[in-house]
């Protein structure tokens, strides 16, 4: 019967081993190719779990820092979201560091161009999807980044995005902040790039002590006249289809008139929402990867400030003669921008990140103060059927968000495993922990925590708990983060009702080894179904082994340990 089902089964032909009195094999060893496939999936799951853990810890670390800043007295108290401070009013926008602008040479180019001195563009940010830089962006308020809507085409899940803020003039480290919310312009058209603008809300505001600073937004629809020399900056390609720059590059480009733009670029160029800038002779331009980045012009006056008039959007090639670059006209979107940035938090549906981070104790789930309050805002009272329904709706969305989260690959595996292994509270807890968005605790942070700051202690405890629960995976250096299934030996006489066989599994991870007993299928369908279960057991085994390292033997049993050293009576 085993041989009746072809492709995968060929992989499963028993290796010579112990046989029964009738000459039938007693055990079957999964072949190397299956072990390799399993190991590759395991490695992926481990990477997702590590990223997730790092992120969870960084988030709490950032909340602690934020709390500490708030506690440093009313002088340094920072506004709560919405965090727009009209930069023009506070006067703290668009200022380049003394020196930075002198160093910038006017002949600099992004295409073929010149490197900007570190810290020259304090509002320039990098948008990263799963850690990979994809677009530029511009810090316009402490919690808001403006970028191009087309950057999110096909990847609008905010949980996958982070923003790398500007580094300092002496190479001070750039802050990486998770994205809380992505607001593409509602009229963005991905076919024509009309209204190519999106606001990104940061999960935590840019630190005022850090090097990042916001640019100024235009105060009126009036723009500088054609011919004005403005600046563009970004990490984009050095030439069309070329490599991305390793450091920020900058260029000076003149604004061109509507007529010139339309003549050069044809009907695709819509002057109502787009402006163009560059040289008809070609050679100096923005390019792929610069999208979302700034086109700023300095405001004349005693304190020359940089005002954001364009956001890099598209072009016909890069630096081609007669083809200037196209930028979204920021000034015409001023109302939309202000409206979005100043909306009250309660007027917005909570973001996935807010819902996933919201982790109240069971009895406080229905609290009217949590992010779920949004859904019940139109209900007559907290006890109404409407409010209960709204709460259900909120929980459902949170579930969807959890599933969408970074570790969704792993969750898929976990779910598959739950089906096989039946409900296990331990697994569900692991699943929930892994589902949460997750980077590394800051050294010395604990020392900075002081008692006089309310709300700090629970955060500190949360950090400690997270560090404890994730220690097993954080300990493994990322270069050793590879799962290696060395052996899966199935007992052919142990087939259960689900068609699975008991198996002894040996696996290695970063110099550690575990042996446990699991269930494996030996036909294509059952095998495929059983692999996630083995993977989860292996992860659990490593986790428990690491956790138990410093603990007494007895606590292993108390933890409901899945690991059994070996199956009695099995060949060693
Ligand atoms: N769309 C590009 C991006 O996604 C920006 C292209 C700008 N091209 C130009 N020639 N100015 O990065």
């Amino acid at each position: 019967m085993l041989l009746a089902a072809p492709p995968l089964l060929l992989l499963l032909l028993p290796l010579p081993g112990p046989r029964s009195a009738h000459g039938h094999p007693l055990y079957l060893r999964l072949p190397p190719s299956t072990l390799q496939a399993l190991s590759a999936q395991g490695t992926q799951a481990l990477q997702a779990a590590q990223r997730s853990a790092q992120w969870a810890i960084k988030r709490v670390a950032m909340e602690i820092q934020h709390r500490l800043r708030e506690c440093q007295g009313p002088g340094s108290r920072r506004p709560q979201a919405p965090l727009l401070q009209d930069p023009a009013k506070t006067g703290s926008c668009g200022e380049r560091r003394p020196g930075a602008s002198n160093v910038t040479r006017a002949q600099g180019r992004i295409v073929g161009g010149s490197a900007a001195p570190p810290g020259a563009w304090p509002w320039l940010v990098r948008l990263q999807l799963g850690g990979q830089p994809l677009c530029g962006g511009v810090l316009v308020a402490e919690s808001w980044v403006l970028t191009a809507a087309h950057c999110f085409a096909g990847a609008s899940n905010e949980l996958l995005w982070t923003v790398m803020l500007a580094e300092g003039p002496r190479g001070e480290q750039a802050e990486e902040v998770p994205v809380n919310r992505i607001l593409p312009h509602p009229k963005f058209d991905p076919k024509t790039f009309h209204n190519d603008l999106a606001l990104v809300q940061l999960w935590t505001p840019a630190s005022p002590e850090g090097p990042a600073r916001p640019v100024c937004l235009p105060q009126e629809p009036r723009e500088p006249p054609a011919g004005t020399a403005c600046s563009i900056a970004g990490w984009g390609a050095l030439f069309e289809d070329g490599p991305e720059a390793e450091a920020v590059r900058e260029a000076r480009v003149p604004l061109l008139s509507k007529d010139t733009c339309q003549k050069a670029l044809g009907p695709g160029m819509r002057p109502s929402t787009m402006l163009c800038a560059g040289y008809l002779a070609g050679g100096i331009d923005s390019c792929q990867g610069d999208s979302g980045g700034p086109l700023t012009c300095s405001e004349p006056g005693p304190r020359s400030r940089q005002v954001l008039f364009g956001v890099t959007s598209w072009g016909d090639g890069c630096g081609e003669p007669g083809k200037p670059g196209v930028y979204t006209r920021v000034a015409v979107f001023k109302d939309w921008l202000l409206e979005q940035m100043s909306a009250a938090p309660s007027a917005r549906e909570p973001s996935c990140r807010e819902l996933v981070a919201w982790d109240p104790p069971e009895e406080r789930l229905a609290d009217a103060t949590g992010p779920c309050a949004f859904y019940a805002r139109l209900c007559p009272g907290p006890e109404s059927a409407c409010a209960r329904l709204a709460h259900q709706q909120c929980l459902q969305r949170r579930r969807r968000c959890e599933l969408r989260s970074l570790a969704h690959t792993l969750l898929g595996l976990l779910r598959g495993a739950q089906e096989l292994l039946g409900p296990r509270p331990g697994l569900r807890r692991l699943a929930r922990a892994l589902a949460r968005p997750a980077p590394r605790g800051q050294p010395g942070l604990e020392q900075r925590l002081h008692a006089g700051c309310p709300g700090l202690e629970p955060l500190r405890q949360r950090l400690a708990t997270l560090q404890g629960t994730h220690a097993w995976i954080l300990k493994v250096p990322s270069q050793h983060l590879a799962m290696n299934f060395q052996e899966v030996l199935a007992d052919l006489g142990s087939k259960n009702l689900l068609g699975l066989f008991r198996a002894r599994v040996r696996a290695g991870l970063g110099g550690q080894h575990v042996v446990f007993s699991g269930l494996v299928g030996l036909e294509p369908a059952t095998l495929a179904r059983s692999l996630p279960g083995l993977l989860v057991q292996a992860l659990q085994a490593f986790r428990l082994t690491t956790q138990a390292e410093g603990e007494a033997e007895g606590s292993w049993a108390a933890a409901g340990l899945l690991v059994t050293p070996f199956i009695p009576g099995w060949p060693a």
Side-chain angles (χ1 to χ4, degrees):
M1 193 185 86
L2 243 119
L3 290 172
L8 200 66
L9 270 195
L10 291 178
L11 303 175
L12 288 176
L13 284 178
L15 301 179
R19 285 167 188 267
S20 71
H22 311 286
H24 298 307
L26 290 174
Y27 303 105
L28 187 142
R29 198 166 261 131
L30 291 195
S33 52
T34 310
L35 295 181
Q36 263 168 23
L38 192 53
S39 301
Q41 280 194 32
T43 302
Q44 261 183 21
L46 282 171
Q47 288 166 343
Q50 195 181 61
R51 269 204 310 270
S52 180
Q54 290 171 339
W55 203 345
I57 286 171
K58 177 153 167 197
R59 190 169 59 72
V60 178
M62 286 191 308
E63 270 174 47
I64 290 176
Q65 277 184 332
H66 193 58
R67 186 85 213 107
L68 276 171
R69 280 205 297 266
E70 281 183 339
C71 285
Q72 277 157 9
S76 67
R77 202 177 188 93
R78 318 180 62 210
Q80 292 296 309
L83 291 144
L84 172 73
Q85 293 182 310
D86 192 335
K89 279 193 201 117
T90 56
S92 58
C93 65
E95 278 166 26
R96 303 187 67 189
R97 284 186 188 76
S101 43
N102 297 342
V103 198
T104 314
R105 280 150 297 167
Q107 72 276 20
R109 289 163 288 168
I110 302 198
V111 173
S114 72
W121 302 102
W123 39 84
L124 177 64
V125 309
R126 220 200 260 245
L127 283 162
Q128 310 190 134
L129 177 65
Q132 290 299 311
L134 272 197
C135 269
V138 201
L139 192 70
V140 293
E142 59 178 357
S143 285
W144 291 97
V145 161
L146 190 56
T147 184
H150 80 257
C151 294
F152 304 103
S156 56
N157 177 359
E158 66 270 18
L159 295 171
L160 302 178
W161 288 89
T162 54
V163 167
M164 189 66 98
L165 299 173
E167 60 165 12
R170 281 173 299 278
E172 293 92 334
Q173 235 219 315
E175 230 184 313
E176 187 181 356
V177 189
V179 165
N180 182 37
R181 188 187 294 279
I182 301 169
L183 300 167
H185 192 279
K187 292 198 178 141
F188 166 61
D189 181 342
K191 288 199 203 88
T192 60
F193 275 35
H194 291 161
N195 309 303
D196 188 12
L197 211 59
L199 267 170
V200 169
Q201 188 181 36
L202 303 180
W203 179 247
T204 50
S207 154
E209 297 90 45
R213 296 277 174 277
V215 75
C216 304
L217 284 171
Q219 288 306 295
E220 38 188 326
R222 207 162 41 86
E223 288 159 350
T228 308
C230 297
S231 304
I232 50 175
W235 286 265
L238 304 176
F239 47 89
E240 200 182 355
D241 298 326
E244 300 239 318
E246 269 159 31
V248 180
R249 303 185 86 83
E250 59 185 14
R252 298 280 276 178
V253 286
L255 298 183
L256 301 177
S257 74
K258 285 180 192 173
D259 274 1
T260 315
C261 294
Q262 274 189 305
K263 275 199 201 103
L265 296 155
M269 166 75 209
R270 281 263 205 108
S272 57
T273 55
M274 301 172 187
L275 53 83
C276 88
Y279 300 88
L280 293 177
I284 301 178
D285 196 5
S286 47
C287 201
Q288 266 60 46
D290 288 322
S291 277
L295 174 120
T296 53
C297 313
S298 61
E299 184 188 71
R303 287 165 71 205
S304 115
R305 300 194 302 183
Q306 295 282 318
V307 184
L308 184 74
F309 285 102
V311 164
T312 308
S313 177
W314 61 276
D316 188 350
C318 300
E320 300 275 317
K323 302 290 174 196
V326 182
Y327 303 81
T328 306
R329 283 180 66 184
V330 175
V332 298
F333 293 99
K334 193 179 171 241
D335 291 346
W336 178 72
L337 293 175
L338 294 184
E339 190 186 308
Q340 296 306 317
M341 292 193 285
S342 57
S346 58
R348 259 199 263 266
E349 183 168 23
S351 70
C352 259
R353 205 181 282 286
E354 284 161 354
L355 283 172
V356 170
W358 174 61
D359 192 13
E362 218 45 51
E363 66 280 6
R364 295 200 44 203
L365 263 171
D367 238 359
T369 53
C372 279
F374 169 85
Y375 296 92
R377 72 199 183 287
L378 300 177
C379 293
E383 296 306 324
S384 62
C386 163
R388 278 194 297 276
L389 214 70
H391 187 66
Q392 281 312 316
Q393 189 190 355
C394 179
L395 294 185
Q396 252 169 33
R397 188 163 119 85
R398 185 167 71 147
R399 251 201 87 51
R400 277 200 301 275
C401 288
E402 278 180 345
L403 294 178
R404 269 172 54 187
S405 79
L406 236 189
H408 81 274
T409 342
L410 190 52
L411 266 182
L413 297 171
L414 286 161
R415 272 201 311 277
Q418 273 178 10
E419 249 167 54
L420 282 173
L421 306 172
R424 255 176 227 273
L427 276 185
R428 237 179 281 128
R429 227 179 301 124
L430 179 66
R432 251 190 279 134
L434 291 168
R436 243 157 253 149
R440 218 172 295 267
Q442 324 244 321
L445 195 68
E446 310 239 346
Q447 289 86 22
R448 291 178 51 205
L449 303 178
H450 50 81
C453 185
L456 205 55
E457 189 47 31
L459 281 174
R460 200 194 60 80
Q461 277 168 10
R462 224 162 90 202
L463 184 67
T465 312
L466 276 174
Q467 280 167 332
T469 45
H470 294 306
W472 69 281
I473 189 130
L474 295 172
K475 266 192 202 162
V476 188
S478 56
Q479 68 272 25
H480 295 149
L481 204 63
M483 175 89 79
N484 175 17
F485 279 90
Q486 295 150 339
E487 183 180 64
V488 178
L489 193 60
D491 174 357
L492 291 179
S494 67
K495 189 168 181 176
N496 70 11
L497 287 173
L498 293 169
L500 302 177
F501 298 80
R502 271 194 302 144
R504 193 184 69 153
V505 182
R506 225 164 11 101
L509 161 63
Q512 273 220 38
H513 293 271
V514 291
V515 179
F516 60 90
S517 143
L519 289 170
V520 68
L522 296 177
E523 291 168 45
T526 50
L527 174 67
R529 244 188 332 121
S530 64
L531 296 187
L534 292 180
L535 211 53
V536 170
Q537 276 189 286
L539 288 175
Q540 282 276 63
F542 284 115
R543 190 172 67 108
L544 292 169
T545 312
T546 322
Q547 275 173 4
E549 262 169 8
E551 290 169 22
E553 283 279 323
S555 61
W556 280 58
L561 196 56
L562 292 168
V563 190
T564 50
F566 45 79
I567 302 169
W570 278 51

